[in-house]
Amino acid sequence: MQTQLGSAVFPRLLRRSLSYIPSILYSLHSLLNLFHFFRFLSNSSPQSQKHKEMASPFLSNTIISFSSSLSSSSSLPRLAPSIPFSAIRSKSTPRRILTVRSKIREIFMPALSSTMTEGKIVSWVKSEGDVLSKGESVVVVESDKADMDVETFYDGILAAIVVGEGETALVGAAIGVLAETEDEIAEAKAKAASKSGASTPSAPPPAPTPAAASTPAPPKSTPAPAAPTVAEGPRKTVATPYAKKLAKQHKVDIESVVGTGPYGRITPEDIDAAAGLSPSKKNVGLAVVVETKPAAPAKAPAASAAPSSLPPPVPGSTVVPFTTMQSAVSKNMVESLSVPTFRVGYPVTTDALDALYEKVKPKGVTMTALLAKAAAMALAQHPVVNSSCKDGKSFTYNSNINIAVAVAINGGLITPVLQDADKLDLYLLSQKWKELVEKARAKQLQPQEYNSGTFTLSNLGMFGVDRFDAILPPGQGAIMAVGASKPTVVADADGFFSVKNKMLVNVTADHRIIYGADLAAFLQTFSKIVENAESLTL
Amino acid sequence: MHSICFQATGVPGSNYIFDSCSPALAISKPINLRFCGLRKEAFGFSGLTHSSSGRVHFSSRGHSKKVSASAESNGSPPKSFDYDLIIIGAGVGGHGAALHAVEKGLKTAIIEGDVVGGTCVNRGCVPSKALLAVSGKMRELQSEHHMKALGLQVSAAGYDRQGVADHANNLASKIRSNLTNSMKALGVDILTGVGTIVGPQKVKYGKVGFPDNIVTAKNIIIATGSVPFVPKGIEVDGKTVITSDHALKLESVPDWIAIVGSGYIGLEFSDVYTALGSEVTFIEALDQLMPGFDPEIGKLAQRVLINPRKIDYHTGVFATKITPAKDGKPVIIELIDAKTKEPKDTLEVDAALIATGRAPFTNGLGLENVNVVTQRGFVPVDERLRVIDTNGNLVPHLYCIGDANGKMMLAHAASAQGISVVEQVTGRDHVLNHLSIPAACFTHPEISMVGLTEPQAREKAQKEGFEVGVAKTSFKANTKALAENEGEGLAKLIYRPDNGEILGVHIFGLHAADLIHEASNAIALGTRIQDIKFAVHAHPTLSEVLDELFKSAKVKAAASSHGPVSEPVAV
């Protein structure tokens, strides 16, 4: 019962994107829901075609980084609404030292159907350390439609399992790591350890020498791995069923754990301790006092220092570790602190814009498109606001004006990008926007459709928010936060009162490249454009 | 009442007699213990008395009717009878037979040596359902993911062991008194004591220390049920090494319990124990867990009910010796390889539950007085449940129903057999179709089945030369299941494409035990797929899973023209 879709996928994908290499074939595995699947496949051909595209489980041939692991996933994590954030795909990390192709590959959660957004690992057919040869089943994945065997396209060694059996991962998230040779296993494992942020919440960002730092300040002193040889007599290891499962999951060598349970058996708590994890939620009452090592209290490592300085959780509170994606968000947010930002607000009269909106609304134009167009037109006159500072030493002027717009979708946050917003007319822009939103809902956005923004627009006006302050996403020069437009009493120069609709816009910018006057001038232009809204239709 | 005892712990029968379960420990002699479950044991003993060798006579007062026994010698049938029908054993089978007998106008008595209700009500289906109801709710409350998906927030769910145990006990008492009252109200005489057959149409019953009473009846039904089977080498102390009888009292929730046998009983208890926080180790003699289930269902069930839970297992091993915890040592279980008999492993756990099936409770029934020899404890019967003697002849006026005959060890099967016997003795020939009797396992989610498994159907098809079709539907496509966020599940239909006959239906999913009846009724009534597929199901309901199942079958036969739906009726 094996359907080899992968081979069909291969050439397509290569053409499409060089950053992915489809590496896994899958085959129908469980008979469960089989017919559903067939029904699906035999549907209209365009759809099945699409399915095949989607269905590319890929291994990235790059070293693990968030960008590669998340690039195919469009479901972005929940963020506070005030943090528009497009940088899930982080820029390549500075410490990326890879000169040649790494031989460590990630196994991603494949998209097994067009509607699949996440998949559950039914079982790992292979265990860590198993040698895989091309075409072998590695893992059984359950999608919303069927269970399938996922096969490898590469020979190699399954170095690490990132997502264990029974756990769920978003499509595109790394679920395992494949090393080409034994020498790379350690390195691959280290990469995997950094991936599994979900299970090791206190893990600091992987240090350059990850092997050494793999167990961050365990609550108990972990038994030295050299010890277990001293076993006295033929006393066998007794571990409870859950302890065994956990040991597998956390890659703990059970033989090296000293049991503290009844009759000296190894309990799940022992495994947690050996894995350097705080005790499970059950006994969250006894908060572990993590040894604080104020090793380098410099400014940058705020991330790693933070958890240890926190007070013990209030009894009864629940600790939910970050998912891989949430860790990425957290990382990027912390990263944003290294950029010196400032904010400038500006009241904009919107009567003309509102009138225009009423007029063009029937033609499918949205307020988002109007604002994006206005911002893009203003940016065209103020290229510095559309620039970014990559290295702290230079301006990078972007040739295109790509407006990323933060939208909350399905409880998450995503920033689809309206490319060349200054060049497209309002109707095309609206149409483009509609497509992007639909794709975002279906979680089908392509990476460049959400990470190519040069300027971000975030509008919380529809909630009645009058003004707010956005965090500048790393890699961009400025972000505009738009509040609600409200009738406001204004006095003109002659002392006449009138009521006008006013909205407050607040731009956050990188002061290394954009100065106060730049921003003020940009806002003035923006305001003029909005106040003479007819120009938007030109 | 039947519905109450629906617990099916029986094995979907491989030709009704199944052997089942788990010989998880059947050591030297393969004892044909069916996998049965916890079910009616009519002449029951209370759990604590199982170990005694003979029948224990309970003294109880009231109901001891003085029936003057005529002085004729044993062996010659009396000419006039005290009763039209006497049933030995007041479990669910006896109860079902008694009620139906009264309806048919028979003067009926029922003899019970222990408490009314038998295994099902007192030590089986009923209390286990109470525990499973608790485990189901615990599971939901503990499943953060599930709760979150529904938008609910629950802080740490906990339980009070005694409260849970009381719930089970109260339920059993309530059902027991319902059962007793229903019989009393109808005028069934409840005779207290242990019943023994002394000759044709003649039974004695009595309590320890009192003279026996002898009663005569035109027809006699044996419905004495079964007791938990404990393979030799296993020492049951009722505290750390227990059977289902003890487990249902929930006197403790061990941190780690080994369950010997992964059939219905073991599976249900694993559901209860893991929900209450225990870790479980299964010990199964066969090579795979959950023998007896349709393999595909078993595989899926293992994925959902075993793998993600705090459960591990050893398959292909016998537990040859189990020593209760004492002298500061844990429970020790010695395992040998089921094939090579080589010692394989030794386990140290906090408790062990023996769920290796059930053995018929037929000792001391006086079968020798009518020249009947049991087969591995079971009373031999023909398809009309008439008892067969050593010469292969039918014993007139003597019937055996329920676990004691071993045809299908399920409470509701016993009841159905009792009704079938009453039909026969009141002049209507009746043969019960055991293939139409559903069975269910009340895990979360539930498993249910009726008829043949796929391998059984294929075997039969090969012998008889017909084709087998298989259709499947998923709960993932069902609106109601998705609304409950319980899309995990599968329904499977095994049928004959040529004539649309339903051979078997297997369901794993939310409320599977309640869903199976559409299929079992169709089999019982001979309804074909091409007809039933036109029946309408309310939307959205779980029963649409079956609707879709029937509709997806590819039957070559046309719908019958005279079906019940052909005539439009004005309303």
Side-chain angles (χ1 to χ4, degrees), chain B residues 172-231:
Chain B
S173 313
K174 182 168 187 179
I175 303 301
R176 181 166 61 235
S177 72
N178 285 352
L179 224 63
T180 311
N181 293 341
S182 69
M183 289 196 292
K184 280 187 185 157
L186 289 170
V188 175
D189 285 336
I190 301 176
L191 312 177
T192 306
V194 172
T196 305
I197 295 162
V198 292
Q201 297 172 300
K202 198 179 298 171
V203 180
K204 78 172 180 194
Y205 72 96
K207 304 165 281 187
V208 177
F210 291 88
D212 288 340
N213 301 303
I214 293 193
V215 284
T216 58
K218 203 166 163 202
N219 290 290
I220 296 169
I221 297 178
I222 297 167
T224 49
S226 62
V227 292
F229 168 68
V230 178

Side-chain angles (χ1 to χ4, degrees), chain A residues 12-24:
Chain A
R12 283 191 78 79
L13 271 170
L14 263 187
R15 235 184 299 135
R16 209 179 50 175
S17 158
L18 285 173
S19 66
Y20 303 130
I21 296 194
S23 51
I24 301 177

Side-chain angles (χ1 to χ4, degrees), chain B residues 503-567:
Chain B
L503 300 172
V505 173
H506 303 263
I507 309 174
F508 174 74
L510 186 63
H511 295 308
D514 292 306
L515 292 176
I516 194 70
H517 300 99
E518 183 168 10
S520 63
N521 288 353
I523 294 177
L525 302 176
T527 312
R528 298 292 165 97
I529 295 166
Q530 61 270 31
D531 294 324
I532 201 170
K533 71 188 228 184
F534 289 107
V536 181
H537 296 68
H539 175 77
T541 56
L542 290 173
S543 63
E544 288 172 296
V545 168
L546 283 173
D547 186 28
E548 203 188 317
L549 189 62
F550 294 135
K551 288 190 164 92
S552 64
K554 309 235 177 329
V555 177
K556 289 163 195 146
S560 40
S561 51
H562 49 76
V565 285
S566 59
E567 285 293 317

Side-chain angles (χ1 to χ4, degrees), chain B residues 137-191:
Chain B
K137 289 184 170 56
M138 278 300 284
R139 263 180 212 297
E140 274 184 45
L141 295 174
Q142 287 169 341
S143 169
E144 240 171 77
H145 176 73
H146 184 113
M147 284 289 160
K148 220 169 145 190
L150 295 173
L152 294 176
Q153 290 175 348
V154 178
S155 59
Y159 69 95
D160 162 34
R161 184 199 54 76
Q162 192 56 48
V164 177
D166 290 348
H167 172 52
N169 192 35
N170 293 344
L171 179 69
S173 313
K174 182 168 187 179
I175 303 301
R176 181 166 61 235
S177 72
N178 285 352
L179 224 63
T180 311
N181 293 341
S182 69
M183 289 196 292
K184 280 187 185 157
L186 289 170
V188 175
D189 285 336
I190 301 176
L191 312 177

Side-chain angles (χ1 to χ4, degrees), chain A residues 104-115:
Chain A
I104 296 167
R105 300 186 170 93
E106 279 177 55
I107 301 172
F108 287 137
M109 173 62 71
L112 300 176
S113 74
S114 62
T115 54

Side-chain angles (χ1 to χ4, degrees), chain B residues 297 300-301 304-305 441-448 474-476 481 486-491 506-515 542 545:
Chain B
I297 296 284
L300 179 61
V304 177
L305 300 176
C441 184
F442 293 81
T443 44
H444 297 94
E446 296 171 341
I447 311 171
S448 64
S474 166
F475 279 63
K476 281 182 182 125
E486 301 269 7
E488 198 114 51
L490 169 74
H506 303 263
I507 309 174
F508 174 74
L510 186 63
H511 295 308
D514 292 306
L515 292 176
L542 290 173
V545 168

Side-chain angles (χ1 to χ4, degrees), chain B residues 256-269:
Chain B
W256 184 6
I257 186 166
I259 298 182
V260 185
S262 66
Y264 293 56
I265 305 176
L267 214 51
E268 290 190 354
F269 275 108

